[in-house]
Amino acid sequence: MFAKNGAGWVEQAKLSASDTTAFDHFGEAVGIDGDYAIVGASQAGIGSYGQAYIFHRNGSEWVEDTILFASDKADSRVIRTIRFARRRLGNCGIR
């Protein structure tokens, strides 16, 4: 995460999942809105069905808040939802 500092940008934090594994594709889809960020990992979780991680900013620190996953283990449904939101919202904070 980067924050505007005068005329430049300063790295504020590097987000990582609490349960990250190799090849989980953490960061494949990202949405940011104010003090919240959602980060998708399409191959994370039991059975590699995909998960999304919610982070919130506390001062200059970013903290993992929640891990989302599809209760029925639908293949990467959570990640497809993030991608859909990004397409529908355009430049409204979703990147």
Side-chain angles (χ1 to χ4, degrees), residues 3-43:
K4 184 85 166 148
N5 184 1
W9 292 88
V10 175
E11 184 174 344
Q12 196 171 56
K14 182 175 181 180
L15 302 183
S16 60
S18 59
D19 63 351
T20 191
T21 60
F23 310 110
D24 64 6
H25 297 178
F26 181 82
E28 181 176 11
V30 176
I32 301 170
D33 187 15
D35 291 336
Y36 288 88
I38 184 169
V39 181
S42 65
Q43 299 299 309

Side-chain angles (χ1 to χ4, degrees), residues 7-91:
W9 292 88
V10 175
E11 184 174 344
Q12 196 171 56
K14 182 175 181 180
L15 302 183
S16 60
S18 59
D19 63 351
T20 191
T21 60
F23 310 110
D24 64 6
H25 297 178
F26 181 82
E28 181 176 11
V30 176
I32 301 170
D33 187 15
D35 291 336
Y36 288 88
I38 184 169
V39 181
S42 65
Q43 299 299 309
I46 297 172
S48 298
Y49 289 104
Q51 296 181 161
Y53 300 82
I54 307 292
F55 293 85
H56 73 274
R57 181 173 33 205
N58 185 4
S60 63
E61 184 177 320
W62 285 84
V63 179
E64 183 182 305
D65 188 56
T66 305
I67 300 174
L68 304 175
F69 56 91
S71 60
D72 62 359
K73 305 297 185 212
D75 188 28
S76 299
R77 178 179 290 173
V78 173
I79 306 309
R80 286 195 306 269
T81 301
I82 296 169
R83 289 184 186 142
F84 175 77
R86 184 173 53 197
R87 283 194 305 272
R88 297 278 296 173
L89 297 176
N91 287 333

